[in-house]
Coordinates of all heavy atoms in Angstrom, one line a residue:
L23 N 132.3 106.6 184.3 CA 132.7 108.0 184.4 C 133.8 108.4 183.6 O 133.7 109.6 183.0 CB 133.0 108.3 186.0 CG 131.8 108.2 186.8 CD1 132.4 108.3 188.3 CD2 130.7 109.1 186.6
V24 N 134.8 107.7 183.5 CA 135.9 108.1 182.6 C 135.6 108.1 181.1 O 136.0 109.0 180.3 CB 137.2 107.1 182.8 CG1 138.2 107.3 181.8 CG2 137.7 107.3 184.2
E25 N 134.8 107.1 180.6 CA 134.3 107.1 179.2 C 133.5 108.2 179.0 O 133.5 108.8 177.9 CB 133.8 105.7 178.9 CG 134.7 104.7 178.7 CD 134.2 103.4 178.1 OE1 133.0 103.3 177.8 OE2 135.0 102.5 177.9
M26 N 132.6 108.6 180.0 CA 131.7 109.8 179.8 C 132.6 111.1 179.6 O 132.3 112.0 178.9 CB 130.7 109.9 180.8 CG 129.5 108.8 180.7 SD 128.4 109.0 182.1 CE 127.9 110.6 182.2
A27 N 133.7 111.2 180.3 CA 134.5 112.4 180.3 C 135.3 112.4 179.0 O 135.4 113.5 178.4 CB 135.5 112.3 181.5
K28 N 135.6 111.2 178.6 CA 136.3 111.3 177.2 C 135.4 111.6 176.1 O 135.8 112.2 175.1 CB 137.0 109.8 177.0 CG 138.3 109.5 177.8 CD 138.7 108.2 177.6 CE 139.1 108.0 176.1 NZ 139.7 106.7 175.8
R29 N 134.2 111.0 176.2 CA 133.2 111.2 175.0 C 132.8 112.7 175.1 O 132.5 113.4 174.0 CB 132.1 110.5 175.2 CG 132.3 109.0 174.7 CD 131.1 108.2 174.9 NE 131.4 106.9 174.4 CZ 130.7 105.9 174.6 NH1 129.6 105.9 175.0 NH2 131.2 104.6 174.2
S30 N 132.9 113.5 176.2 CA 132.5 114.8 176.2 C 133.6 115.6 175.6 O 133.3 116.8 175.2 CB 132.2 115.3 177.6 OG 133.4 115.4 178.4
Q31 N 134.7 115.2 175.6 CA 136.0 116.0 174.9 C 136.0 115.6 173.4 O 136.8 116.0 172.7 CB 137.2 115.5 175.5 CG 137.2 115.9 177.1 CD 138.6 115.5 177.8 OE1 139.2 114.7 177.2 NE2 138.8 115.9 178.9
G32 N 135.2 114.7 173.0 CA 135.2 114.2 171.5 C 135.9 113.0 171.2 O 135.9 112.7 170.0
N33 N 136.5 112.3 172.1 CA 137.2 111.0 171.9 C 136.3 110.0 172.1 O 135.6 109.7 173.1 CB 138.3 111.0 172.9 CG 139.3 109.8 172.6 OD1 139.0 109.1 171.7 ND2 140.3 109.7 173.4
L34 N 136.0 109.3 170.9 CA 135.0 108.0 170.9 C 135.7 106.7 171.1 O 135.2 105.7 170.9 CB 134.2 108.2 169.7 CG 133.3 109.4 169.6 CD1 132.6 109.3 168.2 CD2 132.4 109.6 170.7
D35 N 137.0 106.7 171.3 CA 137.8 105.4 171.5 C 137.5 104.7 172.9 O 137.1 105.5 173.8 CB 139.3 105.6 171.5 CG 139.7 106.1 170.0 OD1 139.0 105.7 169.0 OD2 140.7 106.7 170.0
A36 N 137.4 103.4 172.9 CA 137.1 102.7 174.2 C 138.3 102.9 175.2 O 139.4 103.0 174.7 CB 136.9 101.3 173.9
L37 N 138.0 102.8 176.4 CA 139.1 103.0 177.4 C 139.9 101.8 177.5 O 141.1 101.7 177.5 CB 138.4 103.3 178.7 CG 139.4 103.6 179.9 CD1 140.1 104.8 179.6 CD2 138.6 103.8 181.2
I38 N 139.2 100.6 177.5 CA 139.9 99.3 177.4 C 139.6 98.8 176.0 O 138.5 98.6 175.6 CB 139.3 98.3 178.5 CG1 139.4 98.8 179.9 CG2 139.9 97.0 178.3 CD1 138.8 98.0 181.0
P39 N 140.7 98.4 175.4 CA 140.6 97.9 174.0 C 140.0 96.6 173.9 O 139.7 96.1 172.8 CB 142.0 97.9 173.5 CG 142.9 98.0 174.7 CD 142.1 98.6 175.7
L40 N 139.9 95.9 175.1 CA 139.3 94.5 175.0 C 137.8 94.7 175.3 O 137.6 94.7 176.5 CB 140.0 93.6 175.9 CG 141.5 93.3 175.8 CD1 142.2 92.6 176.9 CD2 141.6 92.5 174.5
A41 N 137.0 94.5 174.4 CA 135.5 94.7 174.6 C 135.0 93.6 175.5 O 134.1 93.9 176.4 CB 134.8 94.9 173.3
P42 N 135.4 92.4 175.4 CA 134.8 91.4 176.2 C 135.1 91.7 177.6 O 134.3 91.3 178.6 CB 135.4 90.1 175.7 CG 135.8 90.3 174.2 CD 136.2 91.8 174.3
L43 N 136.3 92.1 178.0 CA 136.7 92.4 179.4 C 135.9 93.5 179.9 O 135.4 93.3 181.1 CB 138.2 92.7 179.5 CG 138.6 93.1 180.9 CD1 138.5 92.1 181.8 CD2 140.2 93.6 180.7
E44 N 135.7 94.5 179.1 CA 134.9 95.7 179.7 C 133.4 95.2 179.9 O 132.7 95.6 180.8 CB 134.9 96.9 178.6 CG 134.3 98.1 179.1 CD 134.5 99.2 178.3 OE1 135.3 99.0 177.1 OE2 133.9 100.3 178.5
G45 N 132.9 94.4 178.9 CA 131.6 94.0 179.0 C 131.4 93.1 180.2 O 130.3 93.1 180.9
A46 N 132.3 92.3 180.4 CA 132.2 91.3 181.8 C 132.1 92.0 183.0 O 131.5 91.8 183.9 CB 133.4 90.1 181.7
L47 N 133.1 93.1 183.0 CA 133.1 94.0 184.2 C 131.7 94.7 184.4 O 131.3 94.9 185.5 CB 134.2 95.1 184.1 CG 135.6 94.6 184.4 CD1 136.6 95.7 184.1 CD2 135.7 94.1 185.8
V48 N 131.1 95.1 183.2 CA 129.9 95.8 183.4 C 128.8 94.9 183.8 O 128.0 95.2 184.7 CB 129.5 96.5 182.1 CG1 128.1 97.1 182.1 CG2 130.5 97.6 181.8

Side-chain angles (χ1 to χ4, degrees):
L23 292 175
V24 170
E25 285 191 358
M26 284 177 48
K28 284 178 62 177
R29 286 186 182 164
S30 68
Q31 297 173 352
N33 188 356
L34 299 177
D35 294 333
L37 185 64
I38 298 177
L40 299 172
L43 176 63
E44 187 174 359
L47 282 175
V48 170

